[in-house]
Amino acid sequence: MRESVQAEVMMSFLVSEELSFRIPVELRYEPCDPYAVRLTFHLPGDAPVTWTFGRELLIDGVGRPCGDGDVRVSPVEADVLGEVLIRLQVGADQALFRSSSAPLVAFLDRTDKLVPLGQEGSLGDFDAHLDEALDRILAEEQSAG
């Protein structure tokens, strides 16, 4: 199996307009699930929480508002690549994170060197890899909860 791409980024968890704190977030990309990235948030006092969503959503969201579901990514300021907001939502509950764009772009550049954007389907038996990834995600969810 090919190597994976990993990085740790410090992000601000925006609790309210008055309260935020910095937390480490692990970013992970694996060729066995070539369309997805995983972000694992280490919130104080809680077990780590992992969100999996499209790599392309993160790529696009660095430069323009993207996403219309549970995950939304957008630059803090239009036409400025300084910082990015990542909004995660489950029902009425949501969490908002702010990150510098530079480490996200560096991470995404490394994923592109491993599996170029648009070449995800050329990894061989993608269906088998997808089944393995889904099995792993389900196992992780069951063990977490």
Side-chain angles (χ1 to χ4, degrees):
M1 180 175 165
R2 293 173 153 179
E3 64 187 75
S4 63
V5 176
Q6 299 174 55
E8 184 173 292
V9 176
M10 292 301 291
M11 292 188 186
S12 293
F13 175 39
L14 307 174
V15 178
S16 69
E17 288 187 27
E18 299 83 25
L19 179 62
S20 68
F21 51 93
R22 303 213 12 108
I23 63 167
V25 179
E26 293 175 24
L27 287 72
R28 186 171 183 88
Y29 176 80
E30 297 179 0
C32 65
D33 191 4
Y35 293 99
V37 292
R38 286 174 180 70
L39 277 65
T40 300
F41 299 90
H42 297 273
L43 300 171
D46 288 330
V49 175
T50 299
W51 278 72
T52 302
F53 56 90
R55 173 173 68 154
E56 197 165 348
L57 173 63
L58 188 57
I59 291 170
D60 292 345
V62 168
R64 63 180 175 82
C66 290
D68 56 2
D70 295 341
V71 179
R72 296 175 189 224
V73 182
S74 64
V76 171
E77 295 181 48
D79 302 323
V80 177
L81 292 178
E83 293 184 305
V84 173
L85 291 174
I86 299 174
R87 181 181 318 271
L88 308 173
Q89 186 164 348
V90 176
D93 296 327
Q94 70 176 5
L96 185 61
F97 299 89
R98 186 176 189 148
S99 173
S100 172
S101 298
L104 298 178
V105 170
F107 168 77
L108 291 166
D109 183 57
R110 290 174 50 218
T111 71
D112 190 62
K113 287 181 174 136
L114 186 60
V115 179
L117 192 63
Q119 300 296 312
E120 296 91 348
S122 67
L123 293 178
D125 188 0
F126 178 71
D127 288 336
H129 292 302
L130 180 59
D131 287 341
E132 289 173 21
L134 290 173
D135 288 343
R136 187 177 64 252
I137 291 167
L138 289 172
E140 289 173 4
E141 288 178 358
Q142 289 174 351
S143 68

